[in-house]
Structures are given as structure tokens and as C-alpha cells.
Amino acid sequence: MPLKALALNCTLKADAGEESSTDAMIAVLEKAFGENDVAISETVRVAALDIKPGVTSDEGEGDDWPALRKKILAHDILIFGGPIWMGQIGSVAKRVLERMDAFLSETDAQGRMPSYGKVAVAAIVGNEDGAHFSSAQLFQALNDVGWTIPAVAACYWVGEAMGSTDFKDLKQTPKKVKETAAMVAGNAAHLAGLLKSKPYPGGS
């Protein structure tokens, strides 16, 4: 079966019609994944949803997380995109990570969380330092709740601090970003294919 990827855009901009640099970075990865026969079925603008605060899989009436959770787990690869704010990954991304904390108690008979066998990569943009710290935040948290992180798992661009040029404003994608995207997509597709054909055994 072909591999499927889902992208989460954790920009702070709730209006899906508003241009986002995170969307621009996800588009670079989408092209790279396509060259590895992996289709991104959808990019979800998380801030447009009502993801309630909490650490369970359903925080009650009006919570959009249960539907998003189901969508995330229906895919083989998660592209976790977000901006850098104050030197760290933005608050919308952190809300998603907090809700995934529920995976810790949602294990199967072998102790495997729902995310076991699924691969996560990052798409990070910003106009200040913090790409490495933001990816460290994401990858440690995602690994804690069962996601598998491939080699070269983050594609990022950081512009001049306090600058007026965003990634979406660039006339062309920098060569290094394209090269990194190709490596991220190739490694993620390879690893996801291996895990799909031979899942983690879990505990006895």
C-alpha cells in the first residue's frame, strides 16, 4: 500500500486564507515527498480548529481534537510544521504535543502507543534564532509519545532577526532548503515503509 502523509500547520494565524510561511515550507516538503511516492493528503491549519487545553484524547463538548487525532493516526507520516516565536516553537504546536500526551495511557496489549510505527518530521520557519531548539522540543516530545524520528528530520529556514522578509516572501527556495527537504522526505519515506512492513514488536 502507498504511504500517506498529513501536514499540520501550527501557525498562529487562524484564518486559513491568510498566507503562512509554514505553508510555504510544507509545500517544499510536499514536492520532495511526491518524488518519493508519498502523497500529502491534507494540510490542517490547527489554529482554525478548537483544540481544547488538556492531556486527554477528548476534552468534551466542542473539542476538535478527537477528529484531528483520528486523522493524524490514519496516516503513516506526520509533517509537524510551525513557526519560531521567542526562540522556541509556537504555542499552537505545543497544544498539539500536550494533547498527544494521552497516547502514554492508550497502549495495546504489547504496550505500544497508537503512534508506534509512524514517522514524524518537522517544518520550521522564523525570523530569529531557535530552529535547532524548536526541533529539539518537537522531537523529544514526539518520541516520548511513540513517534519515530528519522535521520535528518527537520527542514527549516531562519531569516534575519526582527527582519521583514519571511520565508513565504522569498522569490525562490534556497538550494540548501531544497536539498534538506529531499533528504527529510527520502529518509522519512524509507523508514515509514520499513515500519509498515515490519512493525515494532512491543513488550511481552
Side-chain angles (χ1 to χ4, degrees):
M1 292 179 63
L3 297 170
K4 299 188 301 178
L6 179 75
L8 299 184
N9 181 348
C10 294
T11 176
L12 304 188
K13 300 169 182 173
D15 183 356
E18 190 173 356
E19 202 174 8
S20 159
S21 285
T22 304
D23 268 338
M25 182 60 79
I26 288 170
V28 174
L29 280 168
E30 182 170 19
K31 182 178 180 180
F33 271 107
E35 293 170 354
N36 286 274
D37 298 320
V38 178
I40 296 179
S41 62
E42 183 183 356
T43 295
V44 178
R45 182 74 68 101
V46 178
L49 304 176
D50 187 3
I51 306 299
K52 303 289 187 186
V55 291
T56 73
S57 284
D58 190 341
E59 290 292 334
E61 185 177 355
D63 185 16
D64 287 333
W65 176 251
L68 180 56
R69 175 188 180 279
K70 183 177 180 181
K71 190 175 293 186
I72 289 169
L73 294 176
H75 291 76
D76 307 294
I77 299 170
L78 177 66
I79 301 170
F80 206 124
I84 300 166
W85 287 108
M86 302 177 74
Q88 54 191 306
I89 198 67
S91 59
V92 175
K94 290 178 181 178
R95 175 66 56 87
V96 172
L97 294 173
E98 288 167 353
R99 295 304 301 270
M100 287 184 183
D101 186 76
F103 291 174
L104 292 166
S105 60
E106 296 173 349
T107 55
D108 65 11
Q110 282 72 47
R112 296 172 297 193
M113 289 177 267
S115 48
Y116 263 44
K118 299 181 184 297
V119 171
V121 299
I124 298 171
V125 291
N127 288 101
E128 56 185 293
D129 191 18
H132 284 177
F133 181 57
S134 293
S135 60
Q137 288 178 296
L138 284 174
F139 293 151
Q140 181 60 61
L142 288 167
N143 186 256
D144 281 348
V145 293
W147 294 88
T148 298
I149 312 301
V152 190
C155 193
Y156 68 86
W157 179 87
V158 177
E160 182 183 0
M162 305 302 290
S164 59
T165 301
D166 294 329
F167 185 70
K168 61 182 173 58
D169 301 322
L170 300 181
K171 293 181 180 179
Q172 59 183 17
T173 303
K175 180 182 177 182
K176 191 62 180 177
V177 172
K178 288 182 180 179
E179 291 174 349
T180 302
M183 187 68 76
V184 169
N187 289 353
H190 175 73
L191 183 56
L194 291 175
L195 289 171
K196 195 164 188 174
S197 64
K198 193 171 183 180
Y200 288 121
S204 57

